[in-house]
Amino acid sequence: PEQIRRKMQGIPQYKIPAGFILSQQTFSLEKNEITANMKLKRKNIQQNYAVPIEQLYVELENPQSEIHNKPIHMNQETMLLS
């Protein structure tokens, strides 16, 4: 998280994402997340990651959530960051 904050210095606030989802899974053709030309299929990615995306919004809206202080591990492969 500290590395991310350093890289974001100098970027206008409105361009900085409120949160991140880190996953050990790569986007794949098998899961229909990319095309043969390696372009992202955003709608399919949103569908495949709907649960972590929703959880990220819930955590970010809660001022008492621990996401504001440290990453939240959803499982062995996915983590939420603020």
Side-chain angles (χ1 to χ4, degrees):
E2 186 57 38
Q3 273 184 321
I4 294 170
R5 285 188 192 98
R6 277 185 278 161
K7 297 228 183 236
M8 298 283 183
Q9 287 179 345
I11 296 175
Q13 186 67 29
Y14 68 91
K15 289 187 176 184
I16 297 175
F20 300 89
I21 297 171
L22 297 181
S23 176
Q24 292 181 4
Q25 297 287 328
T26 58
F27 297 143
S28 69
L29 285 168
E30 294 81 23
K31 293 188 282 182
N32 203 24
E33 296 169 333
I34 56 174
T35 66
N37 294 331
M38 304 300 284
K39 293 181 180 178
L40 297 177
K41 292 186 171 184
R42 296 179 191 277
K43 287 183 183 179
N44 294 345
I45 292 169
Q46 280 184 304
Q47 288 174 348
N48 293 349
Y49 286 84
V51 171
I53 290 169
E54 180 60 30
Q55 186 64 34
L56 178 62
Y57 280 114
V58 168
E59 296 296 336
L60 289 171
E61 289 177 1
N62 178 359
Q64 281 84 34
S65 173
E66 60 184 50
I67 196 170
H68 301 291
N69 299 311
K70 64 180 184 175
I72 295 176
H73 295 270
M74 291 190 66
N75 55 44
Q76 290 181 333
E77 298 174 350
T78 308
M79 139 173 41
L80 305 178
L81 297 164
S82 158

